[in-house]
Amino acid sequence: MTATAPLQHLGEIDVETFLRDYWQQKPCLFRAAFKDFVEVISPDELAGMACDEEVESRLLITDPNSGQFELRHGPFDESQFSELPASHWSLLVQGVDHWIPEAADLVEQFRFIPSWRLDDLMISYSTPEGGVGPHYDNYDVFIIQAQGRRRWEIGGRYTEQQAEFLPDQPIRILKHWHPEQSWELEPGDMIYIPPRVGHNGVSLSDDCVNYSVGYRAPHAHELLRHLAGFCEHHSADELRFSDSTLGIRSNPGEITDADLRQVRQLLLPILEDQQQLRRWWGELVTEPKDPQLDHSAEPISADELGTALAQPGQVRRSEGIRFAFSCDTNHCYLFVDGEQHRLGTNELALVKLLCNQNSYDNSQLAEQLQQPAAAELIALLFERGQLYLD
């Protein structure tokens, strides 16, 4: 079996040129980026997913006369779809790659961006004139035209301070929309939109399907909040505020610049501790998007695992499970589902294999069973349902 390889070209542009000239800089249109594109799910199946309570989904319906949006959250009942109008609505389903192996394989093609940056694959279905209005996102996104046609209007770059939004709408719609260019996408075409660049997509057909590969861009305050929780469990107790050089003050209520320097000196060692920073970041970026999902499986013995992997076949990483790794001089660290596994450098080849693709020949893992630490790790990943026999 051949693992899904990352794209080398985006339409006529090679990946190196894209990263240098476009990534997080300016939008780009890729004609025929996916020739003979094969959909991973039909519109009817997508609607079925939206009826599942474990799947995040939304319906956006626009009043063609007033422009007012109506936002509904799933799960939906099948009968609701038959009651919808013939135009001006979109169904959006998040995290499709967390449920469908073929969707996870599609996302694997975007591994020219670090895989731990990925958020998920969202798929939308729109009737004529369906869309989510002019808006901007705070993250990078690739949008593939899978079926039908859509017109994309592209505007300028916005900041939170300058952007104004229409009042009384359930979603953020830009109040002053001035598109600078317009593209009509056919099946297989793709666009890239950087963070905070305004865009507005409108369906031009009754079978418009888009696949959006989105990336995570956590705000600094989110990182600080998560770091504080991490430090609560992993920082030394002696890291406390102190002021041994304190002198007599004429204003006891004043917070001085010297006090603030002392606070800064207290906090800096946390960020300068490379090992702690490595662990915190690795656990953060591999946290499951939906921690409620249970992937656990039956325990498997070393003999059972060896017998299973000796057979022809393949192993897959469970959909929705995030893997990443990092190394120092003496160890490599595998991060899976928000947990660190500390390993020796002898296991580095296995760790790279697990992180750099989402499916493996049985033989690739079988040969790793000769090393006790590797065998223990593989068995643990199977037991937790993070790997499975396909």
Side-chain angles (χ1 to χ4, degrees):
M1 187 208 82
T2 302
T4 305
L7 294 168
Q8 299 299 315
H9 288 80
L10 304 170
E12 299 297 321
I13 300 175
D14 64 83
V15 167
E16 184 177 358
T17 299
F18 167 75
L19 292 175
R20 184 191 66 221
D21 297 340
Y22 293 92
W23 176 250
Q24 297 207 328
Q25 299 169 60
K26 55 186 177 182
C28 191
L29 167 65
F30 312 101
R31 290 293 185 193
F34 289 85
K35 295 181 174 66
D36 302 317
F37 184 81
V38 178
E39 294 189 74
V40 302
I41 187 172
S42 70
D44 284 344
E45 291 169 329
L46 188 71
M49 284 191 69
C51 297
D52 190 323
E53 64 180 12
E54 293 186 310
V55 176
E56 181 185 350
S57 60
R58 293 166 289 160
L59 261 175
L60 271 171
I61 307 168
T62 315
D63 185 314
N65 297 314
S66 66
Q68 179 66 35
F69 280 84
E70 178 188 353
L71 173 63
R72 302 178 188 175
H73 291 278
F76 300 102
D77 187 271
E78 288 184 16
S79 62
Q80 292 178 264
F81 294 109
S82 62
E83 298 167 356
L84 292 170
S87 65
H88 291 83
W89 62 266
S90 295
L91 171 67
L92 303 95
V93 179
Q94 298 286 158
V96 179
D97 56 314
H98 297 180
W99 300 94
I100 300 176
E102 292 80 6
D105 289 342
L106 173 65
V107 168
E108 283 289 292
Q109 297 182 66
F110 291 85
R111 278 189 288 112
F112 54 86
I113 306 297
S115 56
W116 50 264
R117 288 274 274 113
L118 176 73
D119 188 13
D120 70 353
L121 173 68
M122 182 189 77
I123 298 182
S124 66
Y125 171 83
S126 299
T127 55
E129 300 299 323
V132 300
H135 67 287
Y136 68 89
D137 301 307
N138 288 309
Y139 52 83
D140 306 88
V141 63
F142 294 94
I143 306 174
I144 305 166
Q145 190 69 36
Q147 184 176 307
R149 296 181 301 119
R150 184 179 288 273
R151 181 181 65 250
W152 284 100
E153 297 174 339
I154 310 298
R157 192 180 289 266
Y158 292 81
T159 66
E160 289 291 326
Q161 291 74 29
Q162 70 175 158
E164 292 185 63
F165 303 99
L166 290 176
D168 304 319
Q169 293 282 10
I171 55 175
R172 300 208 308 177
I173 305 294
L174 289 167
K175 185 175 182 179
H176 305 293
W177 176 237
H178 305 290
E180 299 173 359
Q181 52 190 325
S182 178
W183 297 321
E184 288 191 13
L185 270 63
E186 301 282 347
D189 293 342
M190 179 173 72
I191 59 171
Y192 162 71
I193 307 293
R196 295 178 298 281
V197 170
H199 52 288
N200 180 34
V202 179
S203 171
L204 302 177
S205 63
D206 58 5
D207 60 348
C208 181
V209 177
N210 291 98
Y211 288 39
S212 299
V213 180
Y215 291 83
R216 290 185 290 176
H219 195 283
H221 69 73
E222 296 177 60
L223 299 183
L224 288 172
R225 185 169 59 247
H226 191 281
L227 180 61
F230 177 88
C231 290
E232 185 177 355
H233 300 286
H234 299 287
S235 292
D237 188 59
E238 59 267 21
L239 281 177
R240 293 178 177 273
F241 183 85
S242 64
D243 47 5
S244 58
T245 58
L246 186 64
I248 295 175
R249 295 186 182 181
S250 56
N251 297 295
E254 180 185 8
I255 299 171
T256 67
D257 287 346
D259 294 329
L260 297 178
R261 285 194 295 272
Q262 195 71 18
V263 172
R264 187 177 296 109
Q265 289 302 114
L266 173 66
L267 297 177
L268 280 176
I270 296 173
L271 294 176
E272 291 173 348
D273 186 331
Q274 188 75 351
Q275 286 298 89
Q276 288 289 72
L277 193 65
R278 185 195 318 277
R279 180 172 183 178
W280 164 68
W281 187 250
E283 292 182 355
L284 171 64
V285 299
T286 60
E287 279 187 343
K289 185 168 185 176
D290 186 352
Q292 304 302 318
L293 292 180
D294 182 12
H295 293 273
S296 60
E298 292 295 322
I300 186 169
S301 69
D303 289 342
E304 290 172 328
L305 184 59
T307 300
L309 295 180
Q311 306 300 315
Q314 64 185 49
V315 172
R316 287 190 65 94
R317 183 195 308 169
S318 292
E319 288 68 47
I321 300 291
R322 292 178 168 135
F323 281 58
F325 79 96
S326 186
C327 299
D328 60 21
T329 305
N330 300 312
H331 298 91
C332 61
Y333 304 87
L334 174 65
F335 301 97
V336 182
D337 248 9
E339 182 177 349
Q340 174 185 271
H341 302 272
R342 180 179 171 181
L343 302 159
T345 53
N346 289 337
E347 287 71 54
L348 181 57
L350 171 62
V351 167
K352 287 182 176 180
L353 174 68
L354 292 172
C355 292
N356 290 344
Q357 56 196 68
N358 71 337
S359 57
Y360 327 91
D361 285 330
N362 283 2
S363 59
Q364 289 179 291
L365 296 184
E367 63 187 29
Q368 298 286 339
L369 297 180
Q370 306 307 313
Q371 301 181 55
E376 182 178 344
L377 173 65
I378 294 170
L380 179 63
L381 296 177
F382 269 98
E383 183 177 326
R384 293 183 174 180
Q386 294 160 343
L387 295 177
Y388 67 90
L389 291 164
D390 190 11

